[in-house]
Amino acid sequence: MVSTKTVLGGFEFDNCLMNAAGVWCMTKEELEEVKDSVAGTFVTKTATLDYRAGNPEPRYQNVPLGSINSMGLPNQGLTYYLDYLLELQEREPERTFFLSLVGMSPNETHTILKQVEASNFNGLVELNLSCPNVPGKPQIAYDFEMTEQILSEVFQYFTKPLGIKLPPYFDIVHFDQAAAIFNQFPLRFVNCVNSIGNGLYIEDESVVIKPKNGFGGIGGEYIKPTALANVHAFYQRLKPEIQIIGTGGVLTGRDAFEHILCGASMVQLGTTLQKEGMEAFQRITEELKAIMAEKGYEKLADFRGKLQYID
Ligand code: DHB
């Protein structure tokens, strides 16, 4: 019997596939749909302290090889997602869900995390260090000094299971420097990768999204090699207690298989879920199971991280 169940941060999940933050997760109704699908769990839209309308539309476009977005962190505000998760954990106490969050400033991040710490929330928190789309705000995770400072402050008071969402890095020295920072902290996971920030897509003579004169985060088929490289680079460098979530360019079971081969313990669908809808979970799960069966693998641990090199 082939199984795609997994363990992350000490919690068990029936399937290793879930949504990526930003897709199918803005409202309770969308989150319930992911919950009731074959996905192993869900993550909420990244919450800020207060409701945000986000950037002007059009702010997301599907394109042939992926997507481009500059949403600008539209979300219902922390209380909406936290209250829903508190109610859900009463209703489904045997399952575990992810709350994504980040403040509009370091202070706001601390305010949010202290509120989560003080609550009864017993799931996993994903701190998003990689939002590329708020005009005037650089991505936290590209500033290593800031990243180290925020994590040092957070772990002075935060005791619940916490991981971080990362942007792609493109230099071996940056993998080394980032991993050296993350290894200092009791992180449960890193999620590689968020969109490749600030690409530009042109149709005829025009950009296709309105914010930032068309610049936006790139997802989908374009980004799989970068995503796999980041998953594997951190799998090689992080202490084993910090697990990896693989996100980026998962269109097929083969893509999910490759993320797991690179070291991922959980795999997220972003652009593919946006383009194909909830059926993607079933299709990709079946495709992944077929590959495992053909290769004689019964569980993810049989091939996780076992990427082969050429001598
Ligand atoms: C948004 C985009 C991201 O890639 C992210 O990590 C958080 C927010 C956005 O534009 O809403």
Side-chain angles (χ1 to χ4, degrees), residues 108-178:
E108 186 181 309
T109 296
H110 294 312
T111 302
I112 292 170
L113 282 171
K114 284 176 182 171
Q115 211 164 304
V116 176
E117 176 73 12
S119 77
N120 286 325
F121 178 65
N122 63 12
L124 285 150
V125 171
E126 178 172 283
L127 174 59
N128 186 355
L129 299 180
S130 52
C131 175
N133 298 335
V134 180
K137 298 262 179 196
Q139 286 195 42
I140 297 166
Y142 283 153
D143 179 339
F144 288 143
E145 226 175 291
M146 174 68 72
T147 296
E148 185 168 1
Q149 183 175 343
I150 289 178
L151 292 175
S152 306
E153 291 167 0
V154 163
F155 284 111
Q156 284 168 25
Y157 60 84
F158 200 78
T159 64
K160 296 184 176 189
L162 179 94
I164 48 180
K165 179 77 171 276
L166 297 175
Y169 298 102
F170 302 94
D171 194 295
I172 301 297
V173 169
H174 294 161
F175 292 137
D176 292 341
Q177 291 172 341

Side-chain angles (χ1 to χ4, degrees), residues 10-287:
F11 299 95
E12 283 184 28
F13 301 90
D14 284 346
N15 191 0
C16 63
L17 295 182
M18 63 182 290
N19 69 305
V23 182
W24 225 289
C25 60
M26 187 74 85
T27 62
K28 296 175 204 184
E29 290 74 21
E30 290 179 339
L31 291 163
E32 287 280 307
E33 275 192 75
V34 181
K35 175 182 77 66
D36 293 332
S37 76
V38 305
T41 179
F42 65 66
V43 57
T44 68
K45 173 66 183 169
T46 300
T48 52
L49 188 57
D50 299 315
Y51 166 89
R52 284 175 58 86
N55 292 335
E57 296 181 332
R59 57 193 185 180
Y60 176 97
Q61 280 295 330
N62 287 323
V63 301
L65 296 180
S67 63
I68 183 165
N69 87 84
S70 182
M71 302 297 288
L73 267 172
N75 76 95
Q76 314 286 338
L78 175 69
T79 307
Y80 176 93
Y81 301 104
L82 187 54
D83 286 353
Y84 166 63
L85 285 163
L86 291 172
E87 177 270 312
L88 179 58
Q89 74 188 31
E90 297 292 313
R91 190 157 37 104
E92 305 219 18
E94 73 291 350
R95 292 188 68 185
T96 303
F97 303 96
F98 290 67
L99 171 61
S100 172
L101 52 80
V102 73
M104 298 303 293
S105 65
N107 266 346
E108 186 181 309
T109 296
H110 294 312
T111 302
I112 292 170
L113 282 171
K114 284 176 182 171
Q115 211 164 304
V116 176
E117 176 73 12
S119 77
N120 286 325
F121 178 65
N122 63 12
L124 285 150
V125 171
E126 178 172 283
L127 174 59
N128 186 355
L129 299 180
S130 52
C131 175
N133 298 335
V134 180
K137 298 262 179 196
Q139 286 195 42
I140 297 166
Y142 283 153
D143 179 339
F144 288 143
E145 226 175 291
M146 174 68 72
T147 296
E148 185 168 1
Q149 183 175 343
I150 289 178
L151 292 175
S152 306
E153 291 167 0
V154 163
F155 284 111
Q156 284 168 25
Y157 60 84
F158 200 78
T159 64
K160 296 184 176 189
L162 179 94
I164 48 180
K165 179 77 171 276
L166 297 175
Y169 298 102
F170 302 94
D171 194 295
I172 301 297
V173 169
H174 294 161
F175 292 137
D176 292 341
Q177 291 172 341
I181 293 169
F182 304 148
N183 275 330
Q184 297 171 45
F185 300 103
L187 290 163
R188 298 291 179 101
F189 67 88
V190 301
N191 185 345
C192 305
V193 293
N194 207 317
S195 51
I196 295 183
N198 294 302
L200 194 54
Y201 191 89
I202 297 171
E203 236 165 45
D204 190 13
E205 299 184 16
S206 173
V207 302
V208 297
I209 56 173
K210 180 170 175 178
K212 295 170 62 174
N213 290 337
F215 284 67
I218 304 297
E221 220 171 319
Y222 289 114
I223 79 166
K224 189 179 74 168
T226 295
L228 294 175
N230 276 260
V231 167
H232 196 57
F234 285 107
Y235 183 76
Q236 291 170 309
R237 287 168 178 75
L238 294 178
K239 55 188 180 183
E241 308 92 277
I242 307 181
Q243 290 180 271
I244 319 284
I245 300 178
T247 306
V250 179
L251 284 76
T252 66
R254 172 70 203 185
D255 301 322
F257 180 83
E258 291 176 10
H259 269 271
I260 296 160
L261 201 62
C262 286
S265 293
M266 184 78 95
V267 176
Q268 296 187 337
L269 306 186
T271 298
T272 295
L273 179 58
Q274 182 67 40
K275 285 185 170 182
E276 183 177 338
M278 301 291 296
E279 270 101 87
F281 288 120
Q282 181 79 41
R283 175 181 62 79
I284 295 172
T285 302
E286 281 167 16
E287 291 171 357

